[in-house]
Each structure stands twice: as C-alpha cells, then as structure tokens.
Amino acid sequence: MQSRVKSLSVNQFTLITSLFYVFVFNIPLFGIVRQGIEKQAEVNYLFIATIPLFLILALSFIFSLFSVKYLLKPFFIVVTLISSSVFFAALQYGVVFDYGMIENTVQTNSAEALTYLNWSSVLNFTLTGLLPAWLIYKADIAYKPFVRELAHKLAFMGTMLAGIAVIGFFYYQNYVAFGRNNDQMKRYIVPTYAIGSMIKYVKVNYFQEPLVYKVQGQDAKNLTQDKNGKPNLVVLVVGETARAQNYEYYGYNKPTNAHTKAYEMIAFRDTESCGTATAVSLPCMFSSMDREEYDARRAKAQDTAMDVLSHAGISLEWLDNDSGCKGVCDRVKHINIDLNSDPELCDGHYCYDQVLLNELDKRLAQGVSQDTLIVLHIIGSHGPTYYLRYPEAHRKFEPDCQRSDIQNCSDEELINTYDNTILYSDYIVAQVISRLQAQGANADTAMLYLSDHGESLGESGMYLHGAPYAIAPEEQIKIPMLAWLSDEFAKENAIDKQCLRDHAAGGGFSHDNLFSSLLGLMNVSTQVYRKEMDLFATCRIK
C-alpha cells in the first residue's frame, strides 16, 4: 500500500514535470507576457489565462514522447539541469539561449565561465537543477506492460491535443495577434527554444559536410606609394563589450574618455555591431559579407580581411587578451596572452589589458620595415565581473560593484563599475597612440578602435549581451568606433582629416565597413574591396 502511494504513473510524472517547468522555468516568459499585456489597449483576460494552460498541455504532449522506460530519467535529469541554467540566465540577466548564444557559450573558456559563478547562480542551480534532478532520480515510476502503457500514453497525449484544440478553437486569432506583436515570447519558452538551438548548433557544426574553402583576394596588391621612405604602421584595437552610450565622445556626461581627449580622436557616430556576442561579431566584422547576408558556416570556410591583407604582403600580427580570435587570425601570426605571464597584471584567470602594451612594445622594438597591421584584442569591459577589468589605480568612479552577481548591485554601483572599464580601455588606447607617436621617425602611424558589441546594464530588466539581434536593445548593438591618424600618415596616404571628422559625425556606420576600410587604410587593391564601404575613401585627396 505504501509503495502505491509513492509510485507515479508515467503520465502523472509527465504532468507534474510539465507543471514544474511552466510555473518555475517559464517565469521569465510570463514577464514577457506581462509586458505584452501592458502594451495593449484592450485585454482579453480569459485568453491570457489560457496561456499557462496551453503551455502545460503542449509540454505534456512533447514530454510524453520521451517518457519511456530507460529513457525517462536520464533524459529529464539532463534537460532539467540545462533548463535550470537557461532559466537563471533569462531571469537574472534577460539572456536568451538562441543559436548565437549557444555558439558563444561553446567557445567560452573556463576562466570566462567562472565569472558567472556566484552565490545566486549556485543557489539557483541547487534549488531548480540539482534538487529536481535528484527527485527525478529517486522517483518511483510504475511502468505498465508495454501495450497498456502505450494505450495510456496515447490516451494522455490525445487528451493534451484535445485541450490544445479547444483553446485554439476559441482563441486562435488572439494567439496569432499576441504572438506576432510579442515575437520574442517563443525565445523564452523553456526548454524547447534552448534545446532546439542546441540541436541546430550540433547539426550545423558536426553533421553537415564542411564547405569547400574559398580563397579570396589572391589578386591583392599593396599600392602604398612610399614617398618619405617610411612604411605604414596601423594598430587595430578590437574592444570587448563596449557600448557607445557610455562614451564621452557620444555625449555621455562622465569623463570616460579623459585619456584620449588630447589626441584629437575621430569618433564615428551611430555605429552598429554585426552581432551581440563575440563569437558572432568578431568573425562577421572581418568577413567580406555584410550582416544581412552573413552566414557563420560560410565565414569559417573563406578568407578574412586578415588573409586578404596577407595576400598583399602586409605584415600582420594578432595579439589576444580575450577569448581568442574565433578563427579570424588562424592563418596569420597570432599570440594568445599567457594568463600566468605577468604576476602584476595576471592572476591565472585573466590579465589586465596593459599586458598587451608590453607585447606591443616587444613587437615595436623589433623595428618596422614594411607596411604593418597589428591587432590588439582586448578584454575591455567583459562582464559580469567588470570590477576585475581595471586595476585599483584606475578605479575612478565610485562606489562600484565589486561582485559578479551584478543584478544585486545598485544602478549607481553597476554603472560606475562599467564606466571604470570604459575609462581603462580609453587609457589602453591612449597608450597605444603614445607608442605610435614615438614611432614617428620610423613609420607613418594610425590607430583604429571599435568594439565587438555593446552591453545591457539593467535597462528593461536585461543584463550582459547576447540577445537575439532581432529583439536586441540599442545598448547591445550601438558601439564606439574611433580613429587616430598621425599628420604624416594622413599626408602620405592622402587622407583629409577634417573631411574624415565631418564624415564620421554624419553617422550610419557598422561592422560591415571594417573589411574594406582595413584594405583601404593599408592601400590594398583587390576585387573584393568595395569603395563605398571604405570609411576613408570619401576623404581621399585626389
């Protein structure tokens, strides 16, 4: 008798699991529903009441497909553990696990992953992941003989479909209209959207036949006219997680660009990123494809801007203090900073970006004998541990947020911490320019800086980045892009700096400009170059 009380039928287990998923893991979804309700002039509350019921019926039907002996427990344990992490990311940070976020997660290194480990995440995983997984493991499931079990399952699934049909009969138009007006809802349904994105990622990356590699720009030629006997030396600084609205150059009311102001920077206004995560944006910005046509699989199978520059004989080097170049620099000389290389600047997990300056010094000490591009990939403003991105001496804005569970910091603390990262990145850029100025006797020098994507800091309940591009807020898409050209570089490369400053103020730029702009800046001629996308072409002195 006691055993019967403890036992659950397969259908009971399925229904209980569905209820748990709907009323725990889908709390963020109901937040989106609430926002949708608030936007409507008239609300049919009977329709709204059917949404959780519809979800219970739909998940029960889907879960029934996997509620079979020998598969039931391992399947639901794994899915529950995954769903716990997806739920926490959506609830605390507003992060959605779509294909791009799955790709970004897979490419995240262990040090970066540890920054998300805090008391809030551990407690959530324990209560909504480990505990339910343990209960699933211990559950006493009473399986019936195969034919009877199948009959009960089909009856259960038929009942779920009937319930869905009844709701659809009365409220189909409501669901269509509400879903169309709140398209992001589907991305918050746990576990279907995240699991679907994972399956798509695995299919694309492990089960599709690799594309034939496409070499681009083999006709590339360096057309630099060496009038003064000095080569061009350009440093490209690729920032991390910097958003434009916290830059003084774009009207921000705090001195976050105090270090570079003396260098007459050229700030390109209204610049948009290609993606909202490094794994998407970095390959995209160096690709010959524009964002609208960008395909990650194709990008991996063709030359990048770095490769085309290499075909033209430009000396190239990529110095990385972030999570790697995501394939962009694979075929050119590159160095990933050893996280134990400098006891003053590194802690074994991360290094301050100043370590890149030391590497740049080593490179410049070797001398520059030909046209050269050096890329510095900085860790910049990577969260959530913003406070670990700047040394104590650069902690200018206080009080700041000295913790990784940033959602528990005050708005003032969080903004101050993030602004400190922007100011420190500005210091790094200023130091790069200072070093380029010191090279004036040996080379004509220039610097270009841009970020890979922006960041949400609690606006509309969203934190961090990685939102699907279609629904991503401005904070995650609008990025800074800055240029500095020495007078000698501008003169020898026939660029009118005042014209460029006026052009930059006009706005309307994006990562799409980088590919041809790098080729143009290095005076490389090739069929894959597009003059209309070159930031500098408009201001070339004829």
Side-chain angles (χ1 to χ4, degrees):
M1 186 71 178
Q2 188 177 6
S3 174
R4 289 180 183 175
V5 173
K6 289 183 179 179
S7 296
L8 292 171
S9 71
V10 172
N11 291 341
Q12 287 173 332
F13 172 86
T14 303
L15 183 59
I16 290 171
T17 304
S18 298
L19 288 167
F20 175 74
Y21 270 68
V22 170
F23 293 111
V24 177
F25 289 152
N26 281 281
I27 289 175
L29 168 67
F30 295 126
I32 301 299
V33 171
R34 189 193 72 244
Q35 293 174 16
I37 294 171
E38 291 171 351
K39 291 187 292 186
Q40 292 192 173
E42 296 182 9
V43 181
N44 184 333
Y45 287 102
L46 286 177
F47 155 66
I48 298 299
T50 68
I51 293 178
L53 177 59
F54 180 90
L55 203 56
I56 292 168
L57 295 171
L59 287 183
S60 294
F61 180 85
I62 295 170
F63 286 170
S64 289
L65 299 173
F66 303 94
S67 299
V68 295
K69 196 173 184 178
Y70 305 120
L71 175 63
L72 184 149
K73 287 190 176 183
F75 174 80
F76 284 102
I77 286 172
V78 170
V79 172
T80 297
L81 294 175
I82 292 172
S83 297
S84 174
S85 299
V86 172
F87 158 69
F88 182 76
L91 181 68
Q92 296 295 337
Y93 303 122
V95 170
V96 174
F97 275 80
D98 63 347
Y99 182 92
M101 180 53 71
I102 300 299
E103 184 176 39
N104 203 47
T105 301
V106 170
Q107 296 185 18
T108 297
N109 57 40
S110 58
E112 186 176 336
L114 286 173
T115 64
Y116 296 92
L117 190 65
N118 51 60
W119 284 112
S120 295
S121 61
V122 170
L123 181 61
N124 169 81
F125 192 67
T126 301
L127 294 179
T128 68
L130 293 176
L131 179 58
W134 180 80
L135 291 174
I136 292 170
Y137 174 75
K138 297 295 290 184
D140 184 7
I141 310 296
Y143 295 99
K144 299 176 180 64
F146 177 77
V147 175
R148 286 182 60 200
E149 188 69 70
L150 180 61
H152 279 256
K153 182 181 290 292
L154 291 175
F156 179 78
M157 295 174 71
T159 303
M160 298 302 105
L161 282 178
I164 292 171
V166 170
I167 293 174
F169 178 80
F170 288 102
Y171 298 110
Y172 175 77
Q173 294 297 339
N174 299 77
Y175 273 93
V176 170
F178 195 78
R180 187 182 297 119
N181 294 330
N182 302 276
D183 183 62
Q184 71 271 32
M185 272 199 320
K186 64 186 179 186
R187 298 178 172 92
Y188 286 87
I189 298 175
V190 177
T192 54
Y193 195 78
I195 297 297
S197 298
M198 292 177 188
I199 292 172
K200 181 181 178 182
Y201 178 84
V202 171
K203 178 183 176 182
V204 169
N205 288 275
Y206 300 103
F207 290 96
Q208 287 188 345
E209 187 176 340
L211 297 174
V212 176
Y213 192 87
K214 178 183 177 183
V215 178
Q216 296 189 107
Q218 283 186 307
D219 63 329
K221 293 183 176 61
N222 184 357
L223 301 181
T224 297
Q225 296 182 11
D226 190 4
K227 298 176 182 177
N228 60 6
K230 295 187 294 184
N232 286 330
L233 168 61
V234 177
V235 173
L236 169 64
V237 182
V238 179
E240 168 70 53
T241 320
R243 67 185 200 179
Q245 73 183 65
N246 288 61
Y247 266 63
E248 191 177 359
Y249 291 121
Y250 302 112
Y252 192 49
N253 61 1
K254 289 165 70 173
T256 51
N257 297 118
H259 299 292
T260 57
K261 282 200 125 182
Y263 295 108
E264 299 182 347
M265 305 294 289
I266 298 170
F268 293 85
R269 303 188 67 85
D270 191 27
T271 302
E272 295 186 349
S273 65
C274 186
T276 61
T278 306
V280 177
S281 282
L282 202 60
C284 183
M285 74 168 81
F286 283 89
S287 165
S288 60
M289 291 178 279
D290 291 342
R291 189 190 71 79
E292 292 292 339
E293 63 179 12
Y294 178 74
D295 179 86
R297 188 162 170 257
R298 282 175 56 202
K300 291 177 183 176
Q302 65 183 36
D303 281 348
T304 69
M306 300 295 286
D307 297 308
V308 178
L309 289 169
S310 179
H311 297 331
I314 305 296
S315 176
L316 300 165
E317 189 157 354
W318 184 291
L319 308 177
D320 205 295
N321 187 40
D322 200 2
S323 54
C325 70
K326 313 303 181 188
V328 172
C329 64
D330 285 356
R331 292 163 295 278
V332 303
K333 184 178 180 181
H334 58 276
I335 297 172
N336 291 317
I337 296 297
D338 181 351
L339 302 180
N340 295 294
S341 61
D342 190 318
E344 292 185 6
L345 299 175
C346 306
D347 64 1
H349 300 290
Y350 287 101
C351 296
Y352 293 127
D353 282 324
Q354 195 169 336
V355 74
L356 286 172
L357 298 178
N358 297 342
E359 289 297 328
L360 180 61
D361 287 339
K362 294 177 187 176
R363 174 65 184 83
L364 296 178
Q366 298 170 11
V368 179
S369 59
Q370 65 185 98
D371 287 355
T372 300
L373 173 70
I374 301 174
V375 181
L376 305 184
H377 188 197
I378 68 175
I379 197 168
S381 302
H382 197 291
T385 49
Y386 305 116
Y387 70 99
L388 297 179
R389 303 293 164 255
Y390 50 90
E392 182 65 27
H394 291 266
R395 188 181 176 189
K396 300 299 183 183
F397 304 114
E398 297 184 272
D400 55 355
C401 176
Q402 296 281 311
R403 55 198 294 177
S404 63
D405 52 339
I406 54 176
Q407 70 277 8
N408 293 319
C409 293
S410 70
D411 290 344
E412 180 188 14
E413 290 170 336
L414 181 55
I415 294 295
N416 280 341
T417 305
Y418 184 78
D419 286 344
N420 280 333
T421 68
I422 299 296
L423 182 61
Y424 182 59
S425 293
D426 192 66
Y427 167 78
I428 298 299
V429 170
Q431 289 297 306
V432 169
I433 295 173
S434 175
R435 283 160 170 75
L436 290 176
Q437 286 182 324
Q439 291 290 316
N442 307 310
D444 298 324
T445 58
M447 189 282 314
L448 182 65
Y449 165 87
L450 77 168
S451 181
D452 56 355
H453 54 77
E455 187 85 326
S456 287
L457 298 175
E459 298 86 4
S460 302
M462 299 184 74
Y463 293 86
L464 304 176
H465 52 268
Y469 203 91
I471 63 168
E474 247 187 23
E475 291 83 8
Q476 295 189 32
I477 294 174
K478 296 291 185 180
I479 58 165
M481 183 161 65
L482 311 172
W484 171 86
L485 281 63
S486 70
D487 291 338
E488 281 291 299
F489 183 95
K491 177 183 176 183
E492 295 301 318
N493 291 276
I495 297 175
D496 184 331
K497 286 208 291 185
Q498 185 54 52
C499 168
L500 187 60
R501 190 169 284 106
D502 295 339
H503 178 55
F509 308 103
S510 74
H511 277 163
D512 294 347
N513 293 108
L514 184 64
F515 184 90
S516 290
S517 296
L518 285 179
L519 298 180
L521 198 61
M522 302 306 298
N523 299 300
V524 170
S525 171
T526 169
Q527 288 185 351
V528 292
Y529 167 79
R530 290 187 293 162
K531 183 177 180 180
E532 72 276 10
M533 299 303 294
D534 182 355
L535 295 168
F536 307 95
T538 300
C539 296
R540 292 278 184 179
I541 302 171
K542 302 290 195 278

